[in-house]
Amino acid sequence: MKLSVAVHRARLGADEFRVVRPARPPARALLVDHDRYLGAYLDHTAALTVAGLWLLAARSPRSLIHLPLRANRPPAGAEPDGAGRYLDLVLLHHSLRFAPARWKQLRGRLGPGRPGTADLPEADHDAGTEPDFAARHHRENRDLFHQHLHAETLFMTGSAKVFRETARHFLDVAREGPVHAPLHPGRPHYCTELHTNDGVLGNAREIHIEYCDAWDAPGKA
């Protein structure tokens, strides 16, 4: 899998930050704060893009991976599962120790960026080897996601291992969602989730990840 990206560099005082965005953020993607949980609504292309960004976060511990989504429209027909705030997404390695309170200022300093390509061959092999699910539930497990909300953005902070192992959720939606929907027109719902019982969530809410086949055209009322 190859992912076209834009690489940005911006300074805040004495600190310089590297921010990576997809060159063309997907329009058919939405991240919604439903209070008790978070909902990600994606078509095939968007699910592949998010999987690629998840894997990029695993190998880029010195970068913030940013996916702007909050201006997107919801899937056709209705608001997904009721009202909620629309959010952008930032993925970052816990060692970066970036304070989300600085994000709004940093975001305002990002220019057009430098074009680049991320080669992610692991995406073609279901993101690597099977996770050790038993080890995830050990008390010593530190490979957990933690979440913060700031400036209409969800920050997902984790280790390389937890990003790498959970990218498979988005790859599954990209692979199986387009097959499931036409075969089940009465029940086209296909989903997976980052669940509390998975042993990957620390101070973090569950994320319901849903394939959505039908979307309004941009600008459609």
Side-chain angles (χ1 to χ4, degrees):
M1 176 182 178
K2 292 185 182 296
L3 182 66
S4 295
V5 298
V7 181
H8 309 256
R9 293 187 181 274
R11 299 193 71 86
L12 288 180
D15 300 319
E16 182 179 68
F17 297 95
R18 182 177 185 263
V19 179
V20 181
R21 290 167 164 163
R24 293 184 177 181
R28 294 182 171 186
L30 201 65
L31 178 62
V32 184
D33 183 349
H34 291 300
D35 192 22
R36 292 182 298 103
Y37 70 98
L38 297 149
Y41 305 90
L42 310 164
D43 75 349
H44 170 77
T45 299
L48 281 179
T49 298
V50 176
L53 296 177
W54 228 255
L55 292 170
L56 189 58
R59 64 160 70 170
S60 305
R62 307 309 302 165
S63 299
L64 291 94
I65 312 299
H66 177 218
L67 182 59
L69 296 172
R70 58 194 165 95
N72 286 352
R73 296 185 61 80
E79 293 284 319
D81 196 22
R85 283 190 296 167
Y86 292 4
L87 302 172
D88 287 346
L89 177 65
V90 168
L91 312 175
L92 65 158
H93 194 274
H94 56 70
S95 64
L96 190 57
R97 298 187 181 277
F98 178 80
R102 306 183 75 186
W103 172 243
K104 188 173 183 179
Q105 186 180 8
L106 177 62
R107 183 176 62 195
R109 298 190 177 190
L110 301 179
R114 175 175 54 83
T117 302
D119 190 7
L120 303 163
E122 59 268 45
D124 300 323
H125 302 283
D126 229 10
T129 58
E130 190 74 9
D132 185 346
F133 293 104
R136 286 180 175 179
H137 295 279
H138 291 172
R139 182 177 297 178
E140 297 79 11
N141 179 28
R142 296 294 181 267
D143 294 303
L144 301 170
F145 283 121
H146 298 282
Q147 296 170 351
H148 296 87
L149 280 177
H150 192 79
E152 299 176 285
T153 303
L154 172 69
F155 290 82
M156 290 286 291
T157 304
S159 67
K161 181 179 180 181
V162 75
F163 276 115
R164 187 171 55 250
E165 290 185 349
T166 54
R168 66 180 60 245
H169 289 278
F170 300 97
L171 292 170
D172 176 64
V173 167
R175 180 180 60 246
E176 300 297 335
V179 176
H180 176 89
L183 293 178
H184 303 83
R187 295 181 59 85
H189 183 101
Y190 185 87
C191 65
T192 182
E193 60 187 353
L194 298 178
H195 194 276
T196 300
N197 295 335
D198 291 343
V200 296
L201 299 179
N203 180 20
R205 286 176 289 167
E206 295 178 345
I207 302 180
H208 178 85
I209 305 161
E210 181 178 337
Y211 174 77
C212 295
D213 189 54
W215 293 75
D216 287 335
K220 183 177 178 180

